[in-house]
Amino acid sequence: MALRLLKLLAPALLLLIAAGLLIDPVAQLPAAHKLTLNQLPYALATGVALMAYGFNRNQILFATLNLISAYLLIQLGLQVSLDQPGAYVLFSALSLLIPINITFIATYSEKGLFTPLGLTRLGGVLLGYILLILLWSNDALAGQLPNLPANMFEMFIDGRFLSNMAAVFFGVALTTNLIYFFTQRGHGSAGVLISLAASLCMFVWFDQPNISTLLITAALIGMGISVVQSSHKMAYLDELTEIPARRALQDKLATLGKRYTIAMVDIDHFKKFNDTYGHDIGDQVLRMVAAKLATVSGGGKAYRYGGEEFTLVFPGKDEAQALPFVEQIRELIANYPMYIRSDNRPDDEKQGARMRNKKADADYTTVTISIGVCEKTDEYADPMAVIKVADNALYEAKKNGRNQSVAAHYKPEAPKRRRTRKDYA
């Protein structure tokens, strides 16, 4: 799980590091180039927001609006010394408003935008920025300096620009985001966490030239990557089993050469299993079978074809070469003691493993699969023709009693029976 979470954050972390390394080189650019660079976040925010809206990634959409609104105010009112009262009030307000918004965005579920709840959330993100723009445009911020609490003037780190109060707000936001990130493990949570990390770094090193442009640009690119990763997962991974789905299989079939083997896998008596234990237990069976199939060796790759049917693809192998690995995975599933989850069944995997080791018959069952195997030959025009023949072999395996593998062409010899003394009688 840790590796999976790291993969979600790795691109954005690299981007943030790159942004920090670019501070000095960007500072040496001509003024015209810097001006162009300052406009880049607006273009990126527009693109990321459109992608997020198109794929219903509202967390990323709101995080994007939060960042770009803050960036707009920074460009309008904070291109001067913070010694000016109005600038310091604006800076202090932003250092609180950004983590407050991010804290609430982290808790948002992916609902429709144009719903009462969605529009309320959108208004909640933008309201604070609208008020700040109105106060700034009317030169009303400077008068609020005496109203700032004392811990807005005390820095959390000596020589840096994060106040004690802002540090508390960022701490709450970080804790909330980490909780949701580790529990949801989704690209939306990763994108929101990226925006928080960029904002925190921006306030800590606010005195660095072009820091807001570089960090917000990096964060927006990272959030855009999160949207792309999320949309890819939706399109290519099966939501229930989390193995590649049929669309991914179709892409794989298009890249196969002239030599490969395809195995079609079907769970035996799955309908009866569903009728006996219920669809929730049926989903458990699908997930278990998928997890075992995903461990297939020999260069094979598992896909969910649909329903209770799966596909194994072995590039560069014929039936004789692929069959031992197919049989290995079939036996692995047949010998796996599956315990039916009940009210007393723990969700923890280690506790579940201990229950399996006890082999209590009350909740214990086994699942078997039947497999049809077919290699590519000159008589088959394309992979779909190979799949059709593999399906026919699968039906033969079912007909012959299930829990077995049948190859369309290769027929392994039955093991020779060892002679006994009785044979010579």
Side-chain angles (χ1 to χ4, degrees):
M1 185 182 77
L3 180 60
R4 178 184 171 188
L5 295 178
L6 181 61
K7 286 182 178 179
L8 289 175
L9 293 177
L13 292 177
L14 292 174
L15 285 166
L16 293 179
I17 293 171
L21 296 174
L22 286 172
I23 290 175
D24 289 337
V26 169
Q28 307 303 319
L29 292 176
H33 292 173
K34 292 180 183 177
L35 183 61
T36 301
L37 183 63
N38 289 342
Q39 305 306 309
L40 181 58
Y42 299 115
L44 286 172
T46 301
V48 174
L50 290 173
M51 286 195 303
Y53 173 74
F55 289 104
N56 196 31
R57 303 290 92 179
N58 285 341
Q59 282 185 316
I60 299 294
L61 174 60
F62 293 142
T64 300
L65 294 176
N66 186 48
L67 274 189
I68 202 61
S69 299
Y71 181 73
L72 174 62
L73 276 166
I74 290 171
Q75 294 301 305
L76 290 175
L78 293 180
Q79 301 308 304
V80 295
S81 172
L82 293 182
D83 292 335
Q84 297 186 21
Y88 192 80
V89 171
L90 178 58
F91 173 83
S92 300
L94 288 175
S95 70
L96 302 182
L97 181 58
I98 291 176
I100 287 173
N101 280 343
I102 291 177
T103 300
F104 287 107
I105 291 170
T107 67
Y108 291 171
S109 56
E110 302 291 2
K111 302 295 184 180
L113 177 61
F114 295 107
T115 63
L117 180 59
L119 293 175
T120 300
R121 290 171 171 177
L122 178 62
V125 171
L126 298 179
L127 180 61
Y129 296 109
I130 294 172
L131 292 175
L132 284 176
I133 288 177
L134 291 174
L135 291 171
W136 172 81
S137 62
N138 290 291
D139 296 323
L141 289 174
Q144 300 301 317
L145 185 64
N147 298 324
L148 294 181
N151 54 10
M152 290 299 295
F153 298 95
E154 300 167 356
M155 295 301 108
F156 185 69
I157 303 173
D158 290 340
R160 295 291 96 214
F161 292 82
L162 187 71
S163 69
N164 285 339
M165 180 174 283
V168 171
F169 278 69
F170 270 102
V172 172
L174 181 60
T175 302
T176 303
N177 275 266
L178 288 175
I179 290 172
Y180 275 85
F181 178 65
F182 282 108
T183 54
Q184 295 181 354
R185 290 172 283 174
H187 294 90
S189 297
V192 178
L193 189 57
I194 291 163
S195 73
L196 176 64
S199 302
L200 178 59
C201 292
M202 179 179 68
F203 282 106
V204 171
W205 288 282
F206 200 76
D207 59 327
Q208 297 298 311
N210 307 293
I211 189 69
S212 62
T213 299
L214 289 171
L215 286 177
I216 288 181
T217 295
L220 288 170
I221 294 173
M223 289 192 291
I225 292 173
S226 293
V227 176
V228 173
Q229 290 175 328
S230 176
S231 61
H232 180 273
K233 180 180 178 179
M234 290 171 60
Y236 288 91
L237 284 184
D238 179 63
E239 184 177 2
L240 176 65
T241 63
E242 296 189 344
I243 67 170
R246 191 163 180 172
R247 183 187 292 267
L249 173 62
Q250 291 172 343
D251 285 355
K252 180 64 177 179
L253 296 179
T255 65
L256 293 174
K258 295 183 178 180
R259 188 185 186 200
Y260 57 86
T261 292
I262 296 176
M264 297 302 294
V265 180
D266 189 85
I267 301 175
D268 295 330
H269 301 295
F270 184 71
K271 184 179 183 303
K272 183 178 179 181
F273 202 95
N274 260 343
D275 294 340
T276 303
Y277 297 104
H279 290 283
D280 289 343
I281 304 302
D283 288 347
Q284 290 181 33
V285 171
L286 289 170
R287 284 191 288 266
M288 183 277 289
V289 171
K292 300 303 179 185
L293 291 175
T295 66
V296 65
S297 53
K301 180 78 172 180
Y303 303 84
R304 187 178 182 190
Y305 194 77
E308 68 270 25
E309 200 166 15
F310 299 84
T311 304
L312 297 174
V313 179
F314 294 88
K317 283 186 168 54
D318 58 24
E319 291 177 6
Q321 294 170 321
L323 200 58
F325 302 106
V326 170
E327 275 292 285
Q328 184 182 55
I329 208 72
R330 182 192 62 77
E331 292 178 0
L332 176 66
I333 292 172
N335 294 325
Y336 180 79
M338 181 176 175
Y339 284 81
I340 306 302
R341 287 193 182 275
S342 63
D343 293 338
N344 298 323
R345 171 66 177 169
D347 290 328
D348 182 74
E349 292 182 4
K350 292 182 180 180
Q351 292 184 37
R354 287 194 292 268
M355 287 185 66
R356 285 193 293 274
N357 291 334
K358 292 179 182 178
K359 295 187 177 181
D361 292 333
D363 296 322
Y364 168 75
T365 188
T366 57
V367 177
T368 63
I369 58 173
S370 298
I371 307 174
V373 183
C374 181
E375 65 186 26
K376 173 70 170 73
T377 66
D378 293 338
E379 60 185 302
Y380 308 127
D382 54 42
M384 295 310 299
V386 178
I387 286 178
K388 184 176 181 180
V389 177
D391 255 331
N392 292 336
L394 169 62
Y395 294 141
E396 184 178 345
K398 293 276 191 182
K399 184 179 179 181
N400 292 344
R402 296 180 171 82
N403 190 24
Q404 58 184 278
S405 304
V406 171
H409 304 90
Y410 174 70
K411 304 298 180 185
E413 294 182 4
K416 293 182 178 179
R417 187 170 63 88
R418 189 174 178 179
R419 291 187 175 185
T420 64
R421 295 180 63 89
K422 187 176 180 179
D423 292 328
Y424 296 96

